[in-house]
Amino acid sequence: MKIFPNPEFVKNAYFKSFSEYKELYNYSMNHFEEFWANQAQENLTFFEDFTQVLDEKYFPKLEWFKGWKVNICYEAVDKNLKKNADKIALIFEWERWDSQKITYKELAENVGKSANLLKSLWIVKWSRVIFYMPQILESVYLMLACLRLWAIHSIVFWGFSAESLKDRIEDLKADFLITADWAFRKWKPYLLKNIADEALEKSSHEVKKVLLVKRNFEEINISKNDVIYNDLIKSQSEICDFEKLDSEDTSFILYTSGSTGKPKWIIHSTAGYALWAKLTTKWVFDLQENDIFFSTADIWWITGHTYTVYWPLLNGWTTLIYEWNPLFPKEDRIWEIIEKYKVSKFYTAPTLIRLLHKTGENLPKNFDLSSLKVLWSVWEPIDSETWDWYFETVGNKKASIADTYWQTETGGHIIAPFPFAIPMKKRSAGFPLPGICWEIVDKNWKKLWVEENWFFVISKPWPAMARWIWWDDEKFVKTYFSDIFREKKPLYFSGDGWFYDEDWYIFITGRVDDIVNISGHKIWIAEVEDIVDKDENIAECALVWIPDELTWEALFGFVVLKDKKNISNKDLLQKLNISLRKEIWPIVSLKNILITSELPKTRSGKIVRRVLRNLAKWKEIEGDLSTVENKEILWIIKEKIKNFN
Ligand code: WTA
């Protein structure tokens, strides 16, 4: 079913209709290089012109916009000074109520000083700088300062243990570490510096210096290798020249989130990454002059890089960054912030929407949320119960819901809806963005047509795609490029399953393992989860496939109950199967379920299905668990499964 967007917002939209979008899409496919050259020239400043749009000689290492000189920090900061000097660039909000607002002028001053400070420590071209920083303004200043000097930042989540931080320092052979004395969550300080010290002590690799941002809360250990940001910053000049980088110079290195296997360091380029961040903003987020953008993504995640920090600033927007737990100190904190700042565009993940729904179904009604125009989502398919609540209760049926699909490796959205131009369809992530040449193929890489469900591949490069995995070319090729060749080039394989319907709307079925084959019928697990989620007893569920003698594969469910209900696995299973048979198909049923108090999740809230798949098959808990927040639950589930009958 199609739901039409609010006509009030359509008149200023970038794409006002499907045909406008389709025209640009077709142009990008038929005049590939011309399209990219035009977009680049229109959107970024180049200090030296490019001589070639795309050089594929060393495929899969690509050179986009050869000869071009650019700087992301210049684009995000200096360029905004002409028109936007007094406009608010950053809003910082945290549990302690005393929020801060920073204009573009103040941002430029802070970034200039921070860059000079880094220079004074010999953080220069190609220095690799690990950030172990909370979500605070200084993190943003220092990220931009690194880009100004062409030092390469790698942000590590502040919640990671000393062991995980140590691994990353060693892996990257980091030159510098930037940390703070503490991070703050639920009114509790986390002593980051102490954890960083432990990591450095264990590490076989030594960093040259540790830059410490002091928030002055508790006394901490200062060692001779530490320098204190707050002391040094005072004497720095606000003026700092920026490096003119080649298009292909590395902008940053980031670990993948690890929900799909061992994390890998992904390398992103400069011009291609910045261009795509800017374009996706225009097309998908539909930038308007006075929009206030609030993304709940932390800076250590790719969504935090691209859409909390770089993209809003590249476009002269106002972006809200926060340091708090979304339900603390009150369960309506998010709605309060949206009302307080008149947020117009809100970006989050289904896991948080589900949590907000579960903990306070009617809380949004207590606030004036009429500033909201679009509610975005990313990271997982958004189930229909959550979609309905997001649309009806949060958006008051006026704001559009827009699900976006992308990966750390794609640099920015690749499939997304255009929220004002095109009617919404529940569960669809929308359309391929201009320049994304996609296909759906089967296991033999044969091209498939409408409504068939299989692998999603991209057959032409785009500028923001990851350039390589840190020191592992072979892994890069093996992980992302299929062994089928088109025009002598392999296809980029996202690892996700897809189908599209007769109106060209794309539906993501999840990682390819998220399709179950029951008696020859390929069933999209997310669709079954959608029905299970609707059951009145269930707060959350994750289904995985297990082998079955009769049907080849079958479904196993891990479920979390809404309240401490007294219902047995067996009774709940029976009840769920009745609804599944009725709502999907007689063939679809769950073979078994396990009631658990919680599901294993990554720090950004994504369910770690890879481990659940193994547990359901009675296998050992293995693989990299560094990104799993609540690891203990894995052993509890394992024990329960052992005693299962
Ligand atoms: C999944 C996050 C369904 C997908 C930006 C992808 C999604 C992985 C969606 C990348 C969506 C992302 N619907 N699944 N809208 N968006 N995914 O690298 O499996 O942290 O491959 O990047 O998340 O996760 P990553």
Side-chain angles (χ1 to χ4, degrees):
M1 193 183 65
K2 289 184 187 172
I3 300 170
F4 286 82
N6 186 340
E8 260 179 61
F9 303 138
V10 179
K11 46 183 188 298
N12 297 324
Y14 187 85
F15 289 123
K16 294 189 180 57
S17 65
F18 186 74
S19 55
E20 275 186 24
Y21 146 72
K22 202 62 207 297
E23 200 179 312
L24 189 66
Y25 185 84
N26 290 344
Y27 176 75
S28 74
M29 292 296 112
N30 300 333
H31 304 272
F32 192 70
E33 292 210 353
E34 204 177 305
F35 165 78
W36 285 116
N38 292 343
Q39 294 298 342
Q41 268 154 342
E42 273 170 33
N43 286 286
L44 297 181
T45 307
F46 43 100
F47 303 105
E48 273 174 42
D49 206 352
F50 52 85
T51 49
Q52 194 177 350
V53 174
L54 174 62
D55 184 353
E56 296 186 81
K57 207 164 51 227
Y58 302 109
F59 193 89
K61 267 201 193 136
L62 304 171
E63 276 193 75
W64 279 92
F65 312 119
K66 218 172 165 167
W68 213 14
K69 298 275 185 198
V70 277
N71 185 293
I72 296 182
C73 179
Y74 168 83
E75 293 286 331
V77 179
D78 309 44
K79 222 166 140 175
N80 283 312
L81 289 179
K82 268 191 216 140
K83 222 176 94 200
N84 288 329
D86 296 323
K87 183 170 176 175
I88 302 298
L90 300 168
I91 298 173
F92 174 63
E93 178 74 30
W94 66 327
E95 285 165 5
R96 294 199 141 194
W97 314 117
D98 45 343
S99 48
Q100 255 174 291
K101 286 183 179 173
I102 302 293
T103 63
Y104 272 95
K105 188 160 168 281
E106 289 163 331
L107 177 68
E109 289 163 5
N110 281 300
V111 171
K113 285 182 176 185
S114 301
N116 278 324
L117 189 158
L118 296 185
K119 256 182 165 174
S120 72
L121 302 176
W122 291 98
I123 299 186
V124 286
K125 271 188 197 172
W126 262 109
S127 300
R128 290 182 302 278
V129 188
I130 286 204
F131 281 53
Y132 186 59
M133 284 289 280
Q135 184 95 337
I136 54 176
L137 291 170
E138 286 78 2
S139 303
V140 178
Y141 305 153
L142 287 159
M143 283 165 83
L144 287 159
C146 281
L147 289 178
R148 196 164 187 87
L149 307 175
W150 189 28
I152 297 168
H153 65 63
S154 294
I155 303 184
V156 174
F157 176 43
W158 65 262
F160 281 165
S161 64
E163 195 62 31
S164 303
L165 178 61
K166 176 211 98 170
D167 287 348
R168 284 155 173 82
I169 293 169
E170 286 178 347
D171 230 21
L172 195 69
K173 302 213 174 355
D175 297 308
F176 296 90
L177 178 73
I178 301 186
T179 189
D181 43 5
W182 50 276
F184 198 71
R185 213 169 172 99
K186 293 196 181 175
W187 286 343
K188 198 174 143 206
Y190 284 79
L191 301 181
L192 296 193
K193 176 63 170 46
N194 294 356
I195 303 172
D197 282 348
E198 194 185 326
L200 290 167
E201 208 174 292
K202 287 181 177 166
S203 168
S204 58
H205 172 81
E206 228 174 281
V207 298
K208 292 176 191 152
K209 282 260 175 283
V210 176
L211 178 63
L212 175 69
V213 178
K214 276 185 92 174
R215 306 177 76 188
N216 295 326
F217 189 71
E218 307 231 342
E219 274 312 304
I220 43 148
N221 255 348
I222 307 280
S223 73
K224 68 175 186 323
N225 211 20
D226 301 342
V227 286
I228 298 179
Y229 178 87
N230 316 50
D231 297 343
L232 297 180
I233 200 78
K234 289 182 198 142
S235 57
Q236 303 300 328
S237 153
E238 291 156 11
I239 313 291
C240 179
D241 282 346
F242 54 88
E243 283 289 326
K244 290 173 185 154
L245 272 66
D246 282 339
S247 308
E248 280 303 316
D249 286 339
T250 299
S251 57
F252 61 83
I253 305 182
L254 186 65
Y255 246 39
T256 51
S257 58
S259 62
T260 53
K262 187 173 166 29
K264 314 168 251 317
W265 283 118
I266 293 291
I267 311 267
H268 273 291
S269 73
T270 292
Y273 172 78
L275 176 64
W276 196 235
K278 217 166 166 181
L279 287 178
T280 49
T281 313
K282 271 200 209 169
W283 298 335
V284 181
F285 286 115
D286 198 35
L287 144 93
Q288 305 287 331
E289 188 58 36
N290 296 319
D291 276 326
I292 307 280
F293 181 71
F294 176 18
S295 151
T296 61
D298 281 344
I299 49 163
W300 60 273
W301 186 24
I302 186 68
T303 311
H305 279 57
T306 307
Y307 296 118
T308 307
V309 176
Y310 291 127
W311 149 65
L313 301 180
L314 282 165
N315 286 287
W317 263 26
T318 304
T319 181
L320 197 150
I321 61 167
Y322 72 95
E323 185 194 24
W324 37 252
N325 175 294
L327 301 179
F328 191 83
K330 304 188 294 143
E331 285 169 358
D332 56 11
R333 184 79 170 113
I334 294 255
W335 316 125
E336 186 181 64
I337 287 175
I338 293 178
E339 182 185 76
K340 178 172 168 191
Y341 294 106
K342 297 197 174 18
V343 169
S344 47
K345 305 205 164 160
F346 180 60
Y347 197 29
T348 193
T351 174
L352 179 62
I353 312 170
R354 278 197 294 270
L355 185 70
L356 294 168
H357 182 195
K358 190 173 113 185
T359 47
E361 186 162 358
N362 291 314
L363 290 179
K365 292 184 184 150
N366 301 339
F367 295 86
D368 176 8
L369 304 183
S370 59
S371 56
L372 286 170
K373 291 183 189 160
V374 190
L375 296 161
W376 275 282
S377 162
V378 62
W379 230 28
E380 283 176 286
I382 169 164
D383 61 273
S384 36
E385 191 186 349
T386 308
W387 199 101
D388 286 342
W389 181 74
Y390 206 27
F391 182 63
E392 286 165 19
T393 309
V394 181
N396 199 16
K397 294 191 185 165
K398 287 200 171 118
S400 296
I401 305 294
D403 184 10
T404 56
Y405 168 86
W406 58 297
Q407 305 177 295
T408 307
E409 299 81 347
T410 66
H413 305 141
I414 52 171
I415 305 289
F418 308 104
F420 301 130
I422 296 161
M424 295 159 265
K425 273 197 190 184
K426 262 189 223 177
R427 316 217 49 166
S428 165
F431 306 90
L433 296 186
I436 300 296
C437 184
W438 61 291
E439 286 174 29
I440 292 182
V441 294
D442 70 9
K443 261 188 176 156
N444 303 314
W445 308 108
K446 204 170 90 232
K447 206 165 172 164
L448 296 176
W449 301 103
V450 180
E451 291 199 339
E452 286 186 88
N453 180 3
W454 217 278
F455 305 155
F456 176 81
V457 293
I458 303 180
S459 54
K460 281 186 187 171
W462 70 102
M465 87 197 248
R467 291 303 187 264
W468 56 301
I469 293 175
W470 183 243
W471 291 119
D472 205 339
D473 283 0
E474 203 184 310
K475 189 169 187 176
F476 181 62
V477 175
K478 241 178 151 163
T479 315
Y480 301 111
F481 293 94
S482 68
D483 48 11
I484 183 84
F485 286 75
R486 291 271 158 78
E487 295 159 13
K488 299 204 185 119
K489 285 186 297 266
L491 303 171
Y492 176 88
F493 176 38
S494 72
D496 289 302
W498 305 66
F499 67 86
Y500 62 106
D501 72 5
E502 65 287 355
D503 300 321
W504 236 53
Y505 283 70
I506 293 178
F507 294 80
I508 298 142
T509 54
R511 308 298 302 171
V512 283
D513 334 24
D514 291 344
I515 294 169
V516 59
N517 187 341
I518 303 180
S519 307
H521 300 282
K522 279 192 255 79
I523 294 153
W524 175 18
I525 295 182
E527 193 183 356
V528 188
E529 274 179 3
D530 204 31
I531 311 284
V532 173
D533 267 333
K534 275 191 203 149
D535 186 278
E536 64 197 0
N537 298 295
I538 290 180
E540 218 179 358
C541 78
L543 307 186
V544 296
W545 67 265
I546 49 173
D548 188 89
E549 282 168 7
L550 210 62
T551 57
W552 178 247
E553 284 170 8
L555 280 169
F556 186 100
F558 295 89
V559 300
V560 178
L561 298 183
K562 265 194 183 132
D563 317 300
K564 289 202 173 67
K565 289 219 165 101
N566 219 353
I567 183 160
S568 69
N569 278 332
K570 207 167 142 209
D571 291 345
L572 184 58
L573 179 67
Q574 211 170 25
K575 184 164 178 280
L576 292 174
N577 279 340
I578 294 170
S579 355
L580 285 174
R581 289 198 188 103
K582 204 166 83 202
E583 292 205 41
I584 308 191
W585 226 0
I587 185 108
V588 180
S589 63
L590 303 178
K591 186 160 179 193
N592 232 326
I593 57 164
L594 179 81
I595 297 174
T596 166
S597 58
E598 51 187 291
L599 297 170
K601 290 190 177 167
T602 61
R603 313 222 174 226
S604 46
K606 191 166 187 180
I607 300 168
V608 190
R609 288 165 200 273
R610 159 176 66 88
V611 190
L612 288 177
R613 274 182 218 119
N614 284 348
L615 283 171
K617 289 177 202 140
W618 294 56
K619 287 191 188 163
E620 285 307 311
I621 300 169
E622 56 190 13
D624 189 308
L625 300 178
S626 59
T627 54
V628 185
E629 183 155 56
N630 51 347
K631 290 191 198 70
E632 327 71 55
I633 194 67
L634 296 175
W635 279 269
I636 299 174
I637 292 178
K638 188 176 169 200
E639 210 41 43
K640 278 193 174 178
I641 288 190
K642 236 166 60 191
N643 303 321
F644 215 55
N645 50 41

